[in-house]
Amino acid sequence: MADYAVASYLKDLESQFTIPKDKLKEMTLIFKNELEIGLTKIDGMLKDLPTFVYNLPDGSEVGKFLTADLGGTNLRIGLVELLGSGEFKIKKDSVMIPEALKCGSGRGIFSFVAENIEKFLEHPEIEAELPLKLGFTFSFPVKQESLAHGQILGWSKEIEARDVIGQDVVGLLQQSLHSRNLDIAVEALINDTVGTLLAQIYRDPRTKMSVILGTGSNAAYVEKSCNITKISHQEPSELTVINIEWGSFGDTKSEYNPNISNLLPSTKYDLELDFESKNSGKQRFEKMISGMYLGEIFRLIIVEMIQLGLIHKSEHFEAMKINRPYSIKTKEMSNFHEIFLSKNYEKCEEISRTKFGVSGAKSEVLSKICELISLRSCHLCAVGITSVHRHLLNSGDLSKDHLFSVALDGALYQKYPNYSKILQNLVCEMENVEKDEVCRVVLVMAEDLSSIGAAAAIAAAQKKQITN
Ligand code: BGC
């Protein structure tokens, strides 16, 4: 196939994946407005879930806590020691969640968590610390009723475990712990965004927001309690934390602007990915941003290029099952892109043949596709961060000169080549920062902190009880 056919295909892809500036502005405005609607209504496009975290840590909290952190890929069990002055120590074990559990019974997942807690307690130095209170980080949408209770609203990240939707997360874990005769009290249930935010506040009280860019994507921020008018009871503290669940942005029509039918700049690849996914029609913003999905978008493009005769199957195509959804992981795409940027073109050729199952594909063509997909993810994330910042400026909770410090975590942010740098630049660009001005929105890496946040949530709540 002639080079010009590939070049024209790439050009077309570029126009599909590039979000025009006006569209970014429109999305930012609508995101901000939907964020505000979500604080007043329970059925908004953005869920804006109240977290019942009424006591933000101030860095002085101390104590030892057991933590369990269930994400979309891994389960981490830890012993966290808060030392005060924003310092901490952690000992942790990590295990991958078996694929079979992800589409089995929901109770199986909680039993898996309990089983791994039991194993962790077998370390003699951990056992010696018992009894311990447990902070549970659960990285899925939950409607909380208190700090230690909340109903599962649904699964995400291609997990589809049965029979537990609407049930109390803590009750399910507590039952599994009791059936193993483990006398452990779950004292806090938090989302991973909330854990990351609390941990970073523990280290630096100026932190106002957190974002996860990992298997899934979501954000949390500190809100004035009086702005959350959708809950009937009086919140007992001036500030609390909102779990935005931003993955659902664009799933329904904008209440603020119902005439906009295509809020998200979805391509045919996004539509196909969503159609084939386990939660079709849901989490469509997340599906354009997060690590669970970027590799799959890349795979759909590769398969199309093969069908169009622009590139060819290599001898590894069948063995790597490239025709199967999710056979190319974002980690592999990221690795390829990194090797390309380091100019090791020979290695790139080898990866395209052996991992992506294609031959005759120029490395610069595949790397351009990686760039388009990852750059669009960065732009959409920048829309979310800028919207939250605008909301806080608008509601008078933050002044223009204040630093807006955002804690970020997740493998995409930590490991995808240049992602963190590009995101910081985009955010400043969207803030209209002039060359000689300082950008007030500062993104800070908060690596693997959500368990620390779970511990800080318990410690801060305890401290409040004592001082009362
Ligand atoms: C979940 C969020 C979570 C995010 C990051 C999303 O799929 O809905 O609750 O915070 O992933 O893990």
Side-chain angles (χ1 to χ4, degrees):
M1 180 63 70
D3 277 357
Y4 71 80
V6 176
S8 116
Y9 179 84
L10 262 192
K11 204 163 162 225
D12 181 45
L13 266 190
E14 184 159 13
S15 72
Q16 293 183 60
F17 278 85
T18 308
I19 314 175
K21 283 213 162 79
D22 284 354
K23 180 72 185 169
L24 290 170
K25 275 193 193 153
E26 175 190 89
M27 289 175 77
T28 306
L29 183 67
I30 295 180
F31 194 116
K32 173 190 158 291
N33 285 296
E34 292 297 331
L35 184 74
E36 288 164 1
I37 290 173
L39 296 174
T40 63
K41 290 190 179 176
I42 52 165
D43 54 356
M45 177 200 281
L46 291 174
K47 294 188 191 77
D48 285 356
L49 299 169
T51 59
F52 293 77
V53 170
Y54 296 132
N55 306 294
L56 299 179
D58 60 13
S60 68
E61 290 73 14
V62 289
K64 287 185 184 168
F65 304 90
L66 194 58
T67 57
D69 184 342
L70 184 75
T73 308
N74 298 305
L75 166 70
R76 298 182 180 95
I77 312 291
L79 175 71
V80 171
E81 184 173 9
L82 300 178
L83 302 163
S85 320
E87 303 282 327
F88 59 83
K89 279 203 290 207
I90 180 165
K91 173 177 169 49
K92 65 180 171 190
D93 280 353
S94 180
V95 51
M96 267 181 95
I97 306 166
E99 286 304 315
L101 272 188
K102 296 183 180 173
C103 49
S105 115
R107 286 178 185 273
I109 293 194
F110 290 94
S111 161
F112 174 70
V113 177
E115 178 191 331
N116 280 284
I117 292 177
E118 187 171 30
K119 277 192 197 148
F120 187 71
L121 294 177
E122 281 163 12
H123 293 292
E125 71 276 25
I126 309 286
E127 205 186 356
E129 300 289 349
L130 287 171
L132 288 165
K133 291 176 174 166
L134 180 83
F136 187 28
T137 307
F138 184 73
S139 307
F140 302 92
V142 167
K143 179 175 180 288
Q144 297 216 209
E145 290 119 27
S146 67
L147 183 60
H149 289 282
Q151 297 166 12
I152 307 180
L153 291 175
W155 295 103
S156 55
K157 301 177 268 216
E158 300 307 297
I159 293 188
E160 196 188 30
R162 294 183 306 271
D163 309 332
V164 290
I165 305 300
Q167 295 197 40
D168 175 28
V169 181
V170 173
L172 286 162
L173 178 57
Q174 207 78 77
Q175 279 166 22
S176 298
L177 290 168
H178 286 160
S179 68
R180 290 175 181 273
N181 292 323
L182 295 173
D183 187 20
I184 291 166
V186 184
E187 297 267 325
L189 166 68
I190 56 166
N191 187 262
D192 52 351
T193 53
V194 179
T196 303
L197 178 59
L198 296 179
Q200 190 60 22
I201 292 178
Y202 180 71
R203 302 204 300 190
D204 177 359
R206 291 172 302 177
T207 314
K208 296 279 181 281
M209 182 182 183
S210 64
V211 176
I212 299 289
L213 289 158
T215 309
S217 181
N218 185 19
Y221 73 103
V222 178
E223 179 59 272
K224 262 198 190 146
S225 301
C226 62
N227 289 340
I228 314 167
T229 55
K230 68 179 171 188
I231 38 183
S232 48
H233 67 269
Q234 190 72 39
E235 300 253 20
S237 69
E238 196 195 332
L239 296 174
T240 184
V241 173
I242 288 290
N243 165 15
I244 305 175
E245 284 295 336
W246 81 12
S248 63
F249 181 61
D251 285 356
T252 52
K253 284 210 161 162
S254 161
E255 283 220 24
Y256 169 74
N257 203 337
N259 302 328
I260 295 182
S261 51
N262 293 317
L263 177 53
L264 298 177
S266 306
T267 62
K268 61 179 175 191
Y269 313 101
D270 300 301
L271 298 178
E272 183 175 346
L273 180 150
D274 178 49
F275 183 74
E276 297 292 339
S277 105
K278 299 212 164 109
N279 57 351
S280 184
K282 293 190 176 146
Q283 302 288 102
R284 290 176 50 228
F285 189 61
E286 174 176 60
K287 286 172 183 161
M288 297 167 88
I289 296 182
S290 79
M292 177 80 221
Y293 304 102
L294 301 191
E296 176 61 2
I297 299 174
F298 181 64
R299 186 194 72 86
L300 288 172
I301 296 174
I302 284 194
V303 169
E304 182 183 67
M305 287 182 82
I306 292 175
Q307 280 161 1
L308 293 173
L310 297 172
I311 52 177
H312 307 286
K313 293 179 185 176
S314 77
E315 69 278 23
H316 297 275
F317 185 88
E318 302 302 335
M320 295 310 291
K321 304 190 175 81
I322 302 299
N323 260 337
R324 260 212 219 149
Y326 300 98
S327 52
I328 298 181
K329 307 274 178 254
T330 305
K331 197 173 162 187
E332 286 154 358
M333 168 183 159
S334 164
N335 186 31
F336 173 85
H337 201 172
E338 185 157 32
I339 292 172
F340 179 82
L341 294 174
S342 73
K343 300 196 169 58
N344 189 345
Y345 305 125
E346 219 171 282
K347 183 81 187 155
C348 284
E349 299 270 311
E350 185 197 320
I351 297 177
S352 5
R353 265 192 312 104
T354 57
K355 297 272 187 248
F356 305 155
V358 294
S359 71
K362 289 205 170 118
S363 302
E364 62 263 35
V365 171
L366 295 186
S367 84
K368 179 70 187 172
I369 300 172
C370 296
E371 183 189 308
L372 291 174
I373 298 170
S374 57
L375 196 58
R376 187 184 66 164
S377 159
C378 272
H379 272 105
L380 295 173
C381 183
V383 164
I385 295 175
T386 311
S387 307
V388 174
H389 187 217
R390 299 247 167 100
H391 158 67
L392 294 175
L393 291 177
N394 239 37
S395 58
D397 294 349
L398 205 69
S399 89
K400 223 173 161 266
D401 310 322
H402 257 104
L403 180 84
F404 182 62
S405 173
V406 186
L408 283 105
D409 193 15
L412 188 64
Y413 184 75
Q414 285 171 24
K415 303 201 176 122
Y416 200 96
N418 298 332
Y419 197 105
S420 55
K421 213 162 58 191
I422 295 174
L423 183 59
Q424 175 70 72
N425 289 341
L426 286 177
V427 169
C428 296
E429 203 179 299
M430 288 179 69
E431 292 279 323
N432 300 319
V433 176
E434 300 290 338
K435 267 209 177 94
D436 47 350
E437 276 179 356
V438 178
C439 181
R440 296 286 169 199
V441 184
V442 178
L443 311 186
V444 181
M445 176 90 76
E447 206 171 329
D448 290 340
L449 288 187
S450 59
S451 300
I452 311 299
I458 305 178
Q462 269 175 1
K463 206 167 77 180
K464 180 78 176 183
Q465 278 165 12
I466 295 165
T467 48
N468 280 349

